[in-house]
Amino acid sequence: MLSFEEKLKVIESFPQLERKDVSLRRVNFHYVESGSEKKNVVYHLHPNGNGFVYADELKEYDTDNKGMVNIRDFSEAELREIIGKSIQSLVPNTIEEKTIAEESVEEEEWINSENNALLLLQEEGFWNIYAGVNLENSFASYEEACEYLKEEGFNKVETW
């Protein structure tokens, strides 16, 4: 088992992590750039060697109900591996990945119960809704546009 100091040395070798001292001489390490609300990578590392690493997204580890793995008996290599994987699981989607996903939808037709049709198009980073040639509304995200259309009683026309 690694000592508290040895574990600290391994954890502090990850420049992405920010140390936060907490009660009872325990230490947390946050990944500030996390793409989710979850920021703690290392949780309650204690001078007795006990501590936890967030691994909820990592299928190869058995986690508790908070998504944590106890690292008390981890070797240096095991500790480095789980911390690296934990950080990677929290990396936010890049703008490029998000743009590629959004660009996969080029245009959609939406129709309501009265057979009125609207066209949803992505143009220059915006999601525009057209009734014929007239622009009806514009949204910053695909999700917002779809929510608006549904609230207005429209359903997407499925094309096969």
Side-chain angles (χ1 to χ4, degrees):
M1 177 175 94
L2 297 172
S3 70
F4 176 71
E5 290 76 20
E6 291 169 324
K7 286 179 182 169
L8 272 179
K9 186 176 178 183
V10 170
I11 297 163
E12 288 173 341
S13 73
F14 289 88
Q16 312 91 312
L17 299 180
E18 183 177 295
R19 180 180 174 148
K20 301 281 185 183
D21 293 333
V22 292
S23 63
L24 304 173
R25 299 182 322 183
R26 295 175 298 187
V27 182
N28 290 346
F29 285 86
H30 295 185
Y31 176 48
V32 179
E33 301 296 320
S34 176
S36 74
E37 291 180 19
K38 190 70 182 164
K39 305 279 187 225
N40 268 337
V41 171
V42 178
Y43 180 71
H44 284 179
L45 181 64
H46 192 275
N48 70 8
N50 203 21
F52 301 88
V53 170
Y54 180 72
D56 199 37
E57 304 296 321
L58 309 176
K59 305 299 178 217
E60 64 266 36
Y61 296 98
D62 290 328
T63 60
D64 64 14
N65 62 348
K66 294 180 182 177
M68 299 292 200
V69 172
N70 190 303
I71 58 168
R72 179 180 189 88
D73 297 322
F74 274 42
S75 69
E76 180 179 343
E78 291 169 326
L79 185 57
R80 283 188 188 285
E81 180 180 353
I82 193 170
I83 291 172
K85 288 180 178 181
S86 179
I87 291 169
Q88 202 55 41
S89 76
L90 295 172
V91 170
N93 290 335
T94 64
I95 292 171
E96 183 178 310
E97 288 173 330
K98 199 171 187 179
T99 301
I100 289 169
E102 287 180 346
E103 286 178 355
S104 66
V105 177
E106 293 178 17
E107 70 178 55
E108 294 177 346
E109 185 177 7
W110 290 66
I111 195 162
N112 69 7
S113 60
E114 298 170 1
N115 283 333
N116 295 317
L118 296 176
L119 190 62
L120 175 61
L121 293 171
Q122 183 187 25
E123 299 174 308
E124 298 179 18
F126 291 95
W127 291 91
N128 298 325
I129 299 172
Y130 288 92
V133 295
N134 297 322
L135 178 64
E136 288 292 314
N137 218 324
S138 186
F139 297 90
S141 75
Y142 176 76
E143 289 77 17
E144 289 174 313
C146 290
E147 185 177 324
Y148 168 81
L149 287 163
K150 289 175 185 173
E151 287 173 0
E152 294 297 316
F154 286 82
N155 293 304
K156 183 168 56 169
V157 175
E158 299 297 330
T159 56
W160 303 95

